[in-house]
PDB file of all heavy atoms in Angstrom:
ATOM      1  N   ARG A 352     118.291  74.029 202.943  1.00  0.00           N
ATOM      2  CA  ARG A 352     118.087  73.142 204.070  1.00  0.00           C
ATOM      3  C   ARG A 352     117.678  73.911 205.339  1.00  0.00           C
ATOM      4  O   ARG A 352     116.791  73.498 206.083  1.00  0.00           O
ATOM      5  CB  ARG A 352     119.387  72.364 204.374  1.00  0.00           C
ATOM      6  CG  ARG A 352     119.726  71.335 203.312  1.00  0.00           C
ATOM      7  CD  ARG A 352     120.906  70.449 203.733  1.00  0.00           C
ATOM      8  NE  ARG A 352     121.323  69.602 202.610  1.00  0.00           N
ATOM      9  CZ  ARG A 352     122.367  69.873 201.820  1.00  0.00           C
ATOM     10  NH1 ARG A 352     123.110  70.951 202.063  1.00  0.00           N
ATOM     11  NH2 ARG A 352     122.672  69.068 200.843  1.00  0.00           N
ATOM     12  N   GLU A 353     118.334  75.059 205.551  1.00  0.00           N
ATOM     13  CA  GLU A 353     118.022  75.867 206.739  1.00  0.00           C
ATOM     14  C   GLU A 353     116.600  76.410 206.666  1.00  0.00           C
ATOM     15  O   GLU A 353     115.894  76.405 207.676  1.00  0.00           O
ATOM     16  CB  GLU A 353     119.048  77.006 206.830  1.00  0.00           C
ATOM     17  CG  GLU A 353     120.461  76.533 207.157  1.00  0.00           C
ATOM     18  CD  GLU A 353     121.489  77.647 207.083  1.00  0.00           C
ATOM     19  OE1 GLU A 353     121.100  78.778 206.726  1.00  0.00           O
ATOM     20  OE2 GLU A 353     122.671  77.377 207.373  1.00  0.00           O
ATOM     21  N   ARG A 354     116.181  76.907 205.494  1.00  0.00           N
ATOM     22  CA  ARG A 354     114.829  77.461 205.367  1.00  0.00           C
ATOM     23  C   ARG A 354     113.784  76.393 205.554  1.00  0.00           C
ATOM     24  O   ARG A 354     112.748  76.622 206.186  1.00  0.00           O
ATOM     25  CB  ARG A 354     114.665  78.123 203.999  1.00  0.00           C
ATOM     26  CG  ARG A 354     115.585  79.318 203.719  1.00  0.00           C
ATOM     27  CD  ARG A 354     115.267  80.519 204.561  1.00  0.00           C
ATOM     28  NE  ARG A 354     116.187  81.609 204.264  1.00  0.00           N
ATOM     29  CZ  ARG A 354     115.866  82.711 203.615  1.00  0.00           C
ATOM     30  NH1 ARG A 354     114.626  82.876 203.193  1.00  0.00           N
ATOM     31  NH2 ARG A 354     116.771  83.654 203.426  1.00  0.00           N
ATOM     32  N   ILE A 355     114.009  75.212 204.971  1.00  0.00           N
ATOM     33  CA  ILE A 355     113.059  74.117 205.118  1.00  0.00           C
ATOM     34  C   ILE A 355     112.939  73.690 206.583  1.00  0.00           C
ATOM     35  O   ILE A 355     111.847  73.509 207.119  1.00  0.00           O
ATOM     36  CB  ILE A 355     113.455  72.932 204.246  1.00  0.00           C
ATOM     37  CG1 ILE A 355     113.330  73.301 202.747  1.00  0.00           C
ATOM     38  CG2 ILE A 355     112.631  71.679 204.558  1.00  0.00           C
ATOM     39  CD1 ILE A 355     113.948  72.311 201.810  1.00  0.00           C
ATOM     40  N   ALA A 356     114.090  73.556 207.259  1.00  0.00           N
ATOM     41  CA  ALA A 356     114.081  73.181 208.656  1.00  0.00           C
ATOM     42  C   ALA A 356     113.399  74.227 209.530  1.00  0.00           C
ATOM     43  O   ALA A 356     112.791  73.895 210.564  1.00  0.00           O
ATOM     44  CB  ALA A 356     115.508  72.927 209.150  1.00  0.00           C
ATOM     45  N   ALA A 357     113.471  75.486 209.100  1.00  0.00           N
ATOM     46  CA  ALA A 357     112.875  76.587 209.872  1.00  0.00           C
ATOM     47  C   ALA A 357     111.391  76.740 209.608  1.00  0.00           C
ATOM     48  O   ALA A 357     110.724  77.548 210.259  1.00  0.00           O
ATOM     49  CB  ALA A 357     113.597  77.887 209.554  1.00  0.00           C
ATOM     50  N   GLY A 358     110.844  75.963 208.650  1.00  0.00           N
ATOM     51  CA  GLY A 358     109.415  75.990 208.470  1.00  0.00           C
ATOM     52  C   GLY A 358     108.898  76.608 207.179  1.00  0.00           C
ATOM     53  O   GLY A 358     107.700  76.827 207.048  1.00  0.00           O
ATOM     54  N   MET A 359     109.781  76.919 206.224  1.00  0.00           N
ATOM     55  CA  MET A 359     109.312  77.508 204.981  1.00  0.00           C
ATOM     56  C   MET A 359     108.458  76.452 204.235  1.00  0.00           C
ATOM     57  O   MET A 359     108.894  75.335 204.023  1.00  0.00           O
ATOM     58  CB  MET A 359     110.482  77.927 204.087  1.00  0.00           C
ATOM     59  CG  MET A 359     110.024  78.544 202.761  1.00  0.00           C
ATOM     60  SD  MET A 359     111.380  79.225 201.763  1.00  0.00           S
ATOM     61  CE  MET A 359     112.213  77.722 201.275  1.00  0.00           C
ATOM     62  N   PRO A 360     107.252  76.822 203.788  1.00  0.00           N
ATOM     63  CA  PRO A 360     106.416  75.875 203.010  1.00  0.00           C
ATOM     64  C   PRO A 360     107.086  75.564 201.670  1.00  0.00           C
ATOM     65  O   PRO A 360     107.540  76.470 200.960  1.00  0.00           O
ATOM     66  CB  PRO A 360     105.112  76.638 202.802  1.00  0.00           C
ATOM     67  CG  PRO A 360     105.066  77.656 203.916  1.00  0.00           C
ATOM     68  CD  PRO A 360     106.506  78.055 204.110  1.00  0.00           C
ATOM     69  N   VAL A 361     107.146  74.268 201.340  1.00  0.00           N
ATOM     70  CA  VAL A 361     107.790  73.850 200.078  1.00  0.00           C
ATOM     71  C   VAL A 361     106.946  72.740 199.466  1.00  0.00           C
ATOM     72  O   VAL A 361     106.471  71.831 200.173  1.00  0.00           O
ATOM     73  CB  VAL A 361     109.227  73.343 200.323  1.00  0.00           C
ATOM     74  CG1 VAL A 361     109.851  72.897 198.980  1.00  0.00           C
ATOM     75  CG2 VAL A 361     110.093  74.400 200.981  1.00  0.00           C
ATOM     76  N   TYR A 362     106.767  72.822 198.163  1.00  0.00           N
ATOM     77  CA  TYR A 362     106.136  71.760 197.388  1.00  0.00           C
ATOM     78  C   TYR A 362     107.153  71.230 196.392  1.00  0.00           C
ATOM     79  O   TYR A 362     107.743  71.986 195.626  1.00  0.00           O
ATOM     80  CB  TYR A 362     104.879  72.288 196.641  1.00  0.00           C
ATOM     81  CG  TYR A 362     104.398  71.403 195.549  1.00  0.00           C
ATOM     82  CD1 TYR A 362     104.292  69.998 195.747  1.00  0.00           C
ATOM     83  CD2 TYR A 362     104.037  71.893 194.318  1.00  0.00           C
ATOM     84  CE1 TYR A 362     103.843  69.167 194.736  1.00  0.00           C
ATOM     85  CE2 TYR A 362     103.575  71.082 193.291  1.00  0.00           C
ATOM     86  CZ  TYR A 362     103.492  69.711 193.498  1.00  0.00           C
ATOM     87  OH  TYR A 362     103.060  68.861 192.497  1.00  0.00           O
ATOM     88  N   GLY A 363     107.351  69.926 196.389  1.00  0.00           N
ATOM     89  CA  GLY A 363     108.250  69.308 195.433  1.00  0.00           C
ATOM     90  C   GLY A 363     107.516  68.333 194.529  1.00  0.00           C
ATOM     91  O   GLY A 363     106.789  67.466 195.021  1.00  0.00           O
ATOM     92  N   SER A 364     107.707  68.486 193.206  1.00  0.00           N
ATOM     93  CA  SER A 364     107.083  67.560 192.263  1.00  0.00           C
ATOM     94  C   SER A 364     108.167  66.741 191.577  1.00  0.00           C
ATOM     95  O   SER A 364     109.174  67.282 191.114  1.00  0.00           O
ATOM     96  CB  SER A 364     106.211  68.289 191.215  1.00  0.00           C
ATOM     97  OG  SER A 364     107.000  69.053 190.348  1.00  0.00           O
TER      98      SER A 364
END
Side-chain angles (χ1 to χ4, degrees):
R352 291 189 188 99
E353 292 173 357
R354 298 292 179 108
I355 292 169
M359 180 173 69
V361 181
Y362 164 45
S364 68

